[in-house]
Amino acid sequence: MKILIIGSGGREHALAWRCSKDSFVEKIYIAPGNAGTLDIGENVSINVKNFDEIFNFCTEENIDFVIIGPEEYLEKGLSDFLQEKGIVCFGPKKMAARLESDKSFAKEFMVKHKIPTANYKLFFKSEIKSAINFLQEVTYPVVIKVSGLAAGKGVMIVTNQKEAAKTIDEIFYQNKFGDSGNKIVIEEFLNGEEASILVVTDGENYKILPASQDHKRIFDNDQGTNTGGMGAYAPTPLISKSMLKNIDDKIIKPTLNGLMKDKIQYSGCLYFGLMISNSEPYVIEYNSRFGDPETQAILPLIDGDFTGFLFSAAKGKLDLGMVSFSHSCSICVICASAGYPGDYEKNFLITGINKISNQGNKLVFHSGTVKMNGDIFTNGGRVLGVVSVDKDGNLSNCKRTVYESITQIKFDGMQYRTDISDKARKYL
Ligand code: AMP
Ligand code: GLY
């Protein structure tokens, strides 16, 4: 089988790495890929925004299977486009991807199908006065979300009326989020602990992957601004067996049944961003794709024929028996550029990656890297995901190993959190 993976981040490197372990996978192309994916397959320099170019490449290289990583391509209908042309493609079609790309759609869907989520109100740009009036009456904090895609930056937790007014001004008057900010959702702030549950589905059958926890804030102890995710670990003890059953009954099944009832065919990975509040799960957000960095932590825990498993979902007949989960645990720590998630510089030399073998229990997945003249340089805000796997499922040992690995890696301005997975202790 020849595979094309679309994307250039740590998630795509992890997907390429995991697919390369399946014996019938003959060749993996990654478009555009990064310095890490070069070690696994061939990076393709086509313009991934041009769907015809992707299709032509698939035809020329006899690609059997396309896996789409990032949400922006799903929102623009890449899966629809390729499937119409007869190419098997992992990732939902545009209508189904609205669960992520249109938060107002997702909220209406959850209310309609009685899926627990924070109470909310929707405002269009033309309703700015009503939004401001509403924000004079609410109890703070509240959460203001732009409805469209915003690369993880469109969610603002505001603690008073002044902050709320500033946020509304940025969204509606300064157009900080472009068209993504044409509608906003103002919702109740939920207190609790977050977890990420990723499910692979063909729209009807589904398999729940090991539960993980992302660490969104830039600094230790969840301080500082939100980022795309500074690290993740799996499985998380926050999600006990009984909690998972509760989530399955109240959230996963009703979501998939709701999609079927509404005649929205969803095939791909469906990511449930959850808040466990007073021992009850609520949906904070849906993502229509694998999470980043959750994927880097979860994939090393999956045994069996992973590529075949994804392929079966894409073909509409999920083969649940193709994969199983080991008793290992894993931790992914993101090494980021100085300044991230704000402005940062690129092109700093990275050393030490080759001291970590990418075999056994120590792995490095590249996020924002580029190779030039044999050396690897930083090329993004999130640069590397350093991963450790502990086959006995011992998170303390796993944490020791991952931070030992990190000491090998150096680049100017490198920053990382030192507490990834510490939350787990609270739930044990
Ligand atoms: P999102 O980009 O939708 O994942 O949101 C970013 C982060 O904002 C989440 O990971 C939560 O930490 C936080 N958040 C979003 N919605 C709520 C909410 N209703 N209550 C509390 N925190 C929230
Ligand atoms: N880790 C959060 C996300 O992928 O959106």
Side-chain angles (χ1 to χ4, degrees):
M1 183 184 270
K2 285 185 173 179
I3 304 178
L4 171 65
I5 297 175
I6 307 285
S8 65
R11 164 185 51 209
E12 287 75 26
H13 186 185
L15 284 164
W17 168 82
R18 185 59 190 80
C19 290
S20 72
K21 294 191 169 303
D22 295 322
S23 56
F24 63 94
V25 174
E26 185 190 325
K27 176 133 197 183
I28 302 178
Y29 295 94
I30 310 96
N34 59 37
T37 58
L38 281 172
D39 290 338
I40 294 172
E42 192 175 320
N43 286 356
V44 186
S45 59
I46 49 176
N47 175 7
V48 277
K49 298 217 158 91
N50 182 334
F51 294 176
D52 283 314
E53 268 192 48
I54 297 178
F55 174 65
N56 290 340
F57 178 82
C58 290
T59 315
E60 279 158 25
E61 299 298 333
N62 292 314
I63 299 296
D64 302 290
F65 187 31
V66 177
I67 301 172
I68 303 172
E71 60 277 18
E72 56 177 301
Y73 304 105
L74 300 166
E75 184 204 23
K76 297 215 160 68
L78 179 57
S79 193
D80 311 54
F81 178 85
L82 293 175
Q83 288 186 51
E84 275 156 29
K85 295 200 182 280
I87 293 175
V88 184
C89 185
F90 185 86
K93 290 186 176 173
K94 193 177 169 152
M95 285 292 280
R98 279 189 304 162
L99 279 183
E100 173 168 9
S101 65
D102 184 350
K103 285 194 197 291
S104 67
F105 168 79
K107 293 298 278 191
E108 279 160 18
F109 175 87
M110 286 187 266
V111 170
K112 179 174 175 192
H113 298 290
K114 303 194 170 48
I115 295 159
T117 187
N119 292 322
Y120 79 104
K121 254 178 119 60
L122 170 69
F123 295 95
F124 288 85
K125 200 173 197 163
S126 56
E127 297 169 313
I128 186 160
K129 284 217 170 79
S130 327
I132 289 168
N133 288 341
F134 178 72
L135 286 164
Q136 280 166 357
E137 287 155 21
V138 293
T139 316
Y140 286 91
V142 292
V143 188
I144 304 179
K145 302 181 172 186
V146 300
S147 190
L149 293 181
K153 299 195 175 99
V155 174
M156 278 66 60
I157 297 167
V158 293
T159 51
N160 56 51
Q161 214 174 307
K162 199 172 155 208
E163 271 176 41
K166 184 169 168 269
T167 301
I168 293 291
D169 182 73
E170 282 171 355
I171 299 172
F172 283 151
Y173 287 123
Q174 297 175 36
N175 281 326
K176 187 171 165 190
F177 300 93
D179 286 349
S180 287
N182 285 346
K183 277 186 280 181
I184 59 167
V185 165
I186 302 180
E187 72 178 29
E188 167 199 11
F189 176 83
L190 295 175
N191 246 318
E193 299 285 333
E194 289 182 64
S196 309
I197 304 276
L198 279 65
V199 163
V200 171
T201 178
D202 58 13
E204 190 178 345
N205 308 294
Y206 62 98
K207 190 150 189 139
I208 306 172
L209 306 185
S212 57
Q213 271 193 310
D214 190 4
H215 296 62
K216 294 239 173 177
R217 305 294 192 103
I218 183 73
F219 300 128
D220 282 10
N221 300 316
D222 291 340
Q223 300 296 307
T225 43
N226 259 330
T227 69
M230 291 299 289
Y233 74 97
T236 170
L238 172 64
I239 306 301
S240 61
K241 263 197 182 142
S242 60
M243 177 57 77
L244 188 62
K245 184 173 181 321
N246 200 13
I247 292 168
D248 197 14
D249 291 343
K250 294 195 178 130
I251 290 173
I252 301 176
K253 284 195 179 85
T255 298
L256 293 171
N257 288 337
L259 286 164
M260 281 188 280
K261 265 190 215 147
D262 292 350
K263 304 215 166 355
I264 299 171
Q265 212 275 326
Y266 193 108
S267 103
C269 178
L270 181 52
Y271 167 131
F272 298 81
L274 303 178
M275 184 73 82
I276 312 298
S277 192
N278 296 321
S279 301
E280 280 300 323
Y282 296 83
V283 178
I284 292 271
E285 60 161 352
Y286 291 114
N287 289 328
S288 57
R289 48 162 177 91
F290 284 105
D292 188 332
E294 289 92 333
T295 303
Q296 293 91 307
I298 294 170
L299 295 198
L301 307 180
I302 301 182
D303 293 332
D305 175 1
F306 180 67
T307 313
F309 175 62
L310 299 189
F311 190 73
S312 72
K315 292 279 276 181
K317 254 193 167 324
L318 185 70
D319 188 340
L320 295 167
M322 276 186 148
V323 292
S324 58
F325 309 125
S326 69
H327 295 291
S328 313
C329 65
S330 68
I331 303 176
C332 170
V333 179
I334 296 292
C335 300
S337 299
Y340 175 79
D343 294 339
Y344 55 84
E345 288 179 45
K346 299 186 199 174
N347 292 317
F348 294 109
L349 179 69
I350 310 171
T351 59
I353 299 178
N354 52 5
K355 294 189 186 144
I356 302 163
S357 61
N358 262 17
Q359 304 212 336
N361 65 346
K362 292 178 176 176
L363 304 158
V364 180
F365 295 123
H366 294 223
S367 296
T369 64
V370 64
K371 197 166 188 169
M372 283 183 294
N373 302 322
D375 285 323
I376 298 174
F377 295 87
T378 65
N379 191 38
R382 290 192 291 177
V383 176
L384 298 169
V386 179
V387 176
S388 166
V389 182
D390 188 87
K391 65 177 177 13
D392 301 319
N394 183 319
L395 264 179
S396 308
N397 290 345
C398 198
K399 187 182 171 199
R400 199 169 313 121
T401 313
V402 79
Y403 284 105
E404 265 165 28
S405 286
I406 287 194
T407 59
Q408 313 269 3
I409 291 177
K410 302 219 163 22
F411 61 83
D412 275 3
M414 176 167 119
Q415 56 165 339
Y416 58 88
R417 279 181 60 157
T418 65
D419 66 343
I420 304 299
S421 80
D422 286 357
K423 289 174 202 280
R425 285 198 218 123
K426 283 199 275 186
Y427 323 125
L428 285 169

